[in-house]
């Protein structure tokens, strides 16, 4: 562990910290460098009293103790978790919220129970349409009176997907407190807001959930206050970033190995292209990692910088369905889903 590499602070309370992109030499993000995204202070609870309640439109409501969870089948999946607000700080004009740069994203191997097994165990009633997940953390919001838990729902179809898991372990070890111990949801392919931490309750609903983290946050609003018809944020968009050289770097003349990372959701990333001349010509980058569903892929590109001057490098990923990063992602009030082509300005002396 390099003691000089640490998370980058965005806010202290609640604690919000970015993954330092420079640590991308590892495919799996070690726990101490995994980005942290919280809406409230960390919850205080007695683990000896923890249990998971499952209720609502089910045949048999249950309370599951931690020790009971080991009796369900487990799977392990490597999954990249990206916050919907990743790269918000790169939007112009500024969008309100944490000014994340490139690092509200990390990658881990998650082990847990496919949620569908637990739902089969309690038995869904025929009117079930959504599954609601409630975290233990609770707090105030600036836009509404009262106290709210962090709670979000998933449509039934996504909840019973075999890869939607109740995770107990990350990188082979029990979840750490900051990342949702004892139990969190992992929703591969969706932005990170869906992966509710510190789960205490799952409720099967027969109508749409309207909580503030579902209907006021994590929806695309294009004008302040215009929530009518706002599209919910769901699948991660195809995206890529430079790690080296970072923006505003000074480099010597010569050959440089440029590198970075690319990711997407339902359709895997197929191609990464780099432009040395502000987007006029594009050349393919080489992959450093294989294509694994839900996982980011590091790439590299050999750049011969022979002439001194200022260069605007660009990187663009395209997924297998043909979706590419746009020159400029759709600006929105809350600053979600910024997958604009990434630019790095470099000075060669
Ligand atoms: N779950 C709870 N209970 N409380 C939260 O604030 N934040 C969500 C999600 N789950 C959140 C939560 C968001 S917006 C993201 S991006 C991920 O957790 C971040 O997970 P991490 O902190 O483990 O990186």
């Amino acid at each position: 562990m390099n003691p000089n590499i640490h998370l980058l602070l965005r806010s202290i309370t609640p604690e919000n910290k970015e993954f330092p992109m420079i640590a991308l030499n590892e495919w799996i993000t070690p726990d101490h460098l995994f980005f942290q995204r919280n809406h409230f202070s960390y919850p205080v609870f007695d683990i000896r009293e923890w249990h998971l309640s499952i209720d609502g439109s089910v045949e048999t409501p249950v309370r599951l103790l931690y020790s009971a969870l080991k009796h369900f089948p487990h799977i392990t999946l490597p999954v990249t978790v990206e916050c919907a607000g990743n790269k918000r700080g790169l939007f112009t004009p500024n969008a309100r919220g944490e000014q994340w740069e490139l690092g509200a994203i990390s990658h881990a191997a998650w082990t847990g129970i496919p949620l569908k097994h637990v739902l089969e165990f309690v038995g869904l009633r025929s009117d079930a349409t959504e599954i609601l997940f409630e975290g233990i953390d609770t707090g105030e919001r600036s836009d509404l009176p009262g106290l709210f838990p962090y709670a979000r729902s998933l449509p039934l179809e996504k909840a019973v997907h075999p890869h939607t898991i109740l995770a107990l372990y990350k990188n082979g070890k029990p979840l750490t407190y900051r990342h949702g111990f004892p139990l969190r949801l992992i929703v591969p392919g969706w932005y990170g807001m869906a992966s509710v931490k510190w789960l205490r309750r799952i409720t099967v609903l027969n109508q749409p959930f309207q909580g503030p983290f579902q209907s006021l946050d994590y929806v695309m609003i294009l004008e302040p206050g215009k929530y009518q018809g706002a599209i919910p944020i769901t699948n991660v968009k195809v995206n890529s970033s430079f790690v080296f050289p970072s923006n505003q770097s000074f480099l010597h003349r010569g050959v440089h190995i440029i590198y970075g990372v690319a990711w997407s959701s339902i359709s895997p990333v197929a191609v990464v292209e780099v432009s040395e001349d502000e987007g006029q010509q594009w050349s393919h980058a080489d992959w450093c990692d294989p294509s694994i569903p839900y996982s980011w892929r590091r790439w590299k590109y050999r750049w011969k910088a022979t002439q001194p001057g200022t260069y605007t490098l660009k990187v663009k990923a395209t997924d297998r369905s043909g979706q590419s990063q746009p020159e400029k992602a759709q600006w929105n009030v809350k600053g979600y889903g910024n997958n604009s082509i990434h630019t790095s300005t470099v000075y060669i002396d």
Side-chain angles (χ1 to χ4, degrees):
M1 193 196 301
N2 182 339
N4 298 319
I5 298 185
H6 47 76
L7 285 158
L8 310 173
L9 183 68
R10 290 281 156 233
S11 71
I12 297 176
T13 312
E15 191 173 50
N16 284 305
K17 292 181 172 176
E18 288 199 25
F19 167 68
M21 274 290 162
I22 201 71
L24 197 79
N25 47 2
E26 292 175 82
W27 185 61
I28 290 284
T29 314
D31 195 69
H32 72 284
L33 294 179
F34 202 98
F35 84 102
Q36 297 162 4
R37 172 60 177 126
N38 298 298
H39 293 78
F40 301 128
S41 300
Y42 288 110
V44 178
F45 58 97
D46 185 341
I47 187 62
R48 290 165 301 185
E49 284 168 16
W50 181 88
H51 57 260
L52 177 69
S53 301
I54 310 178
D55 55 21
S57 263
V58 296
E59 300 299 341
T60 324
V62 293
R63 283 172 157 216
L64 293 174
L65 298 177
Y66 191 68
S67 55
L69 298 174
K70 64 172 181 283
H71 299 298
F72 289 93
H74 286 47
I75 60 167
T76 298
L77 281 177
V79 175
T80 299
V81 179
E82 183 191 16
C83 183
N86 192 26
K87 302 193 183 184
R88 179 184 288 127
L90 274 51
F91 267 126
T92 356
N94 266 3
R96 268 192 60 202
E98 298 298 339
Q99 295 302 299
W100 299 107
E101 293 191 4
L102 308 181
I105 183 168
S106 296
H107 179 243
W110 306 91
T111 302
I113 308 161
L115 176 66
K116 72 188 195 87
H117 294 304
V118 176
L119 296 177
E120 277 161 18
F121 177 71
V122 294
L124 296 182
R125 291 216 198 115
S126 58
D127 61 350
T129 52
E130 287 190 11
I131 314 289
L132 174 63
F133 304 89
E134 190 181 307
I136 305 176
D137 51 333
T138 300
E140 292 178 348
R141 293 174 55 99
S142 57
D143 52 355
L144 287 177
L147 285 176
F148 298 89
Y150 185 83
R152 297 226 359 132
S153 75
L154 282 181
L156 195 54
E157 192 193 14
K158 189 69 185 174
V160 299
H161 188 285
H163 295 156
T164 298
I165 56 175
L166 296 173
L168 294 132
Y169 303 93
K170 179 165 168 237
N171 302 334
K173 295 196 179 130
L175 293 176
T176 49
Y177 171 59
R178 283 184 159 81
H179 294 289
F181 177 81
L183 190 68
R184 77 177 292 173
L185 190 64
I186 289 291
V187 185
W190 279 37
Y191 282 107
M193 75 281 150
S195 296
V196 179
K197 299 187 275 189
W198 308 291
L199 278 176
R200 71 164 161 206
R201 189 169 178 195
I202 296 178
T203 306
V204 179
L205 303 179
N206 56 13
Q207 53 190 6
F209 174 60
Q210 297 291 355
F213 294 100
Q214 192 86 20
S215 56
L216 299 180
D217 295 337
Y218 303 111
V219 289
M220 282 289 268
I221 53 168
L222 305 181
E223 278 176 49
K226 269 213 159 179
Y227 288 95
Q228 194 75 31
I231 295 170
I233 302 288
T234 55
N235 290 319
V236 171
K237 296 195 221 160
V238 63
N239 213 331
S240 63
S241 295
F242 286 109
V243 174
F244 173 83
S246 56
N247 197 21
Q248 308 291 341
S249 297
F250 288 84
L251 298 178
H252 292 309
R253 253 188 284 180
V255 173
H256 296 284
I257 304 299
I258 295 176
Y259 63 93
V261 65
W263 64 97
S264 61
S265 59
I266 295 171
S267 175
V269 187
V271 176
V272 163
E273 293 162 282
V274 172
S275 170
E276 303 170 12
D277 54 8
E278 224 166 309
Q280 290 173 52
Q281 296 179 70
W282 294 89
S283 308
H284 283 204
D286 296 319
W287 290 117
C288 309
D289 297 313
S291 175
I292 296 186
Y294 313 124
S295 289
W296 65 12
R297 273 181 104 177
R298 292 165 300 170
W299 53 265
K300 62 179 196 280
Y301 176 84
R302 193 169 178 274
W303 181 35
K304 236 170 139 185
T306 44
Q307 296 300 320
T310 302
Y311 291 83
T312 302
L313 305 177
K314 293 189 169 212
V315 60
K316 171 174 73 176
T318 302
D319 70 18
R320 276 195 210 152
S321 76
Q323 285 285 329
S324 283
Q325 290 177 247
E327 184 65 34
K328 247 181 181 293
Q330 164 90 71
W331 186 91
N332 58 100
V333 174
K334 301 219 171 187
Y336 299 132
N338 189 353
N339 71 334
S340 303
I341 288 176
H342 189 213
T343 297
S344 195
T345 301
V346 180
Y347 307 100
I348 298 288
D349 66 16

